Amino acid sequence: MAEHGREYLMIRPEFFEVVYAINPWMNPSVPASSELAVRQWIRLRSIVEDIGHTVHCADPVPGLPDLVYTANAGFVVNGKALVARFAHAERAPEEDLHAAWFQRLGLDVQRATQVNEGEGDFQFAGSRLVAAYGQRTSRAAVDEVAAWSGLPVVGLELVDPRFYHLDTALAVLAPADDAADIAYYPPAFSPGSRSALRELYPDAIIATAAEAGVLGLNVLADGRHVVMTDAAPTLAAQFRERGYDVIGVEFSELLKGGGSVKCCMLELRR
Ligand code: ARG
């Protein structure tokens, strides 16, 4: 099973809490339960394993509440890892840990020199990468990833602080296909990037404000399954109509940090 599956890095939200606000979802005065976050996360991990993937878990660290969002650890392709360089000081101490974990996983590790929040802002979409800049990842990082990976990269500009990473505003449902099947929320992007998306992906699913507003686009998709929050039923129905096997999860706690399913996974492409 695992040999056809993908590999992901996850970190248990043992020390999850909302004690600072670096995105509009985070409100330190709203209580968040790390116990409930752990339960919801364990359920997610077992679903990912049940559908045939391998999960590698790194250790949680006290004082780093956002470590659970491993999508931001870096970007991994062809056995090479480009370690993130975080936009906010609160997450900067994660960088050395991620570099060490990538090393332990046997990856060829390099550090990003530009502000770059990893797979949160970079996704495979068919034969190219789509990348987002304008909120966290810098414009210069898009060029750095293109040079580092040797892959064509389409840069898209994010303009709404609520949709501060690409994976909050755009989902690639069938990443391995030549013509990627995607879903996105147009108002998160600049007018120019919206027209680029329309042209590149004319058949894309368009998410509503309500469904994007619960991070319904922040899904784990492997071309066959879509694992996502149970709070976006319309989007889930649209995914089912396209033939995907949709698995809903309750993900209330980690949403309080501004993330959903996809934010908690980093794909390790060997
Ligand atoms: N609190 C985290 C931050 O603001 C959430 C990261 C969510 N990750 C993601 N890939 N969208 O950095």
Side-chain angles (χ1 to χ4, degrees):
M1 210 158 59
E3 69 237 32
H4 301 297
R6 298 164 186 238
E7 289 179 66
Y8 295 99
L9 175 70
M10 292 182 76
I11 300 177
R12 198 180 162 95
E14 198 91 30
F15 305 106
F16 173 69
E17 54 183 351
V18 180
V19 286
Y20 51 77
I22 56 171
N23 69 55
W25 301 85
M26 302 176 85
N27 181 351
S29 64
V30 172
S33 157
S34 63
E35 251 165 69
L36 182 54
V38 167
R39 279 207 296 280
Q40 293 175 341
W41 178 95
I42 286 175
R43 170 103 188 95
L44 170 64
R45 186 185 62 189
S46 47
I47 288 169
V48 172
E49 287 171 341
D50 286 350
I51 62 176
H53 304 302
T54 301
V55 175
H56 301 267
C57 287
D59 292 331
V61 174
L64 294 177
D66 279 339
L67 202 55
V68 55
Y69 302 109
T70 53
N72 301 122
F75 191 69
V76 181
V77 60
N78 286 332
K80 304 196 300 179
L82 188 66
V83 182
R85 179 156 172 193
F86 286 94
H88 296 283
E90 288 86 343
R91 296 196 68 182
E94 295 182 30
E95 294 165 14
D96 287 347
L97 297 172
H98 294 312
W101 287 321
F102 291 147
Q103 213 104 51
R104 226 169 299 151
L105 287 162
L107 301 165
D108 172 6
V109 181
Q110 204 171 304
R111 300 286 191 129
T113 67
Q114 306 296 322
V115 172
N116 179 331
E117 296 207 348
E119 200 175 83
D121 276 323
F122 291 87
Q123 296 195 45
F124 262 100
S127 49
R128 63 176 80 88
L129 297 178
V130 283
Y133 62 90
Q135 299 292 319
R136 295 286 181 88
T137 293
S138 64
R139 182 84 184 78
V142 177
D143 299 330
E144 185 173 31
V145 167
W148 166 82
S149 66
L151 294 163
V153 186
V154 175
L156 302 167
E157 188 184 9
L158 289 171
V159 294
D160 181 335
R162 286 178 311 147
F163 303 102
Y164 57 95
H165 281 138
L166 181 64
D167 66 8
T168 64
L170 182 147
V172 181
L173 304 169
D177 284 6
D178 260 356
D181 198 12
I182 76 161
Y184 67 100
Y185 177 57
F189 298 92
S190 70
S193 296
R194 260 179 247 174
S195 23
L197 281 167
R198 257 197 313 272
E199 213 159 286
L200 289 169
Y201 305 106
D203 302 324
I205 293 172
I206 301 299
T208 63
E211 308 251 299
V214 289
L215 296 186
L217 288 166
N218 196 254
V219 306
L220 177 85
D222 63 7
R224 195 173 142 204
H225 309 92
V226 178
V227 186
M228 64 184 287
T229 171
D230 62 6
T234 309
L235 209 44
Q238 285 170 295
F239 295 158
R240 284 198 181 96
E241 248 162 63
R242 293 240 172 148
Y244 297 103
D245 187 352
V246 176
I247 305 165
V249 292
E250 208 185 310
F251 226 66
S252 59
E253 290 317 286
L254 291 164
L255 184 63
K256 295 174 183 170
S260 191
V261 168
K262 164 72 175 58
C263 297
C264 298
M265 324 273 317
L266 174 72
E267 190 172 347
L268 305 169
R269 301 177 191 83
R270 309 270 188 175

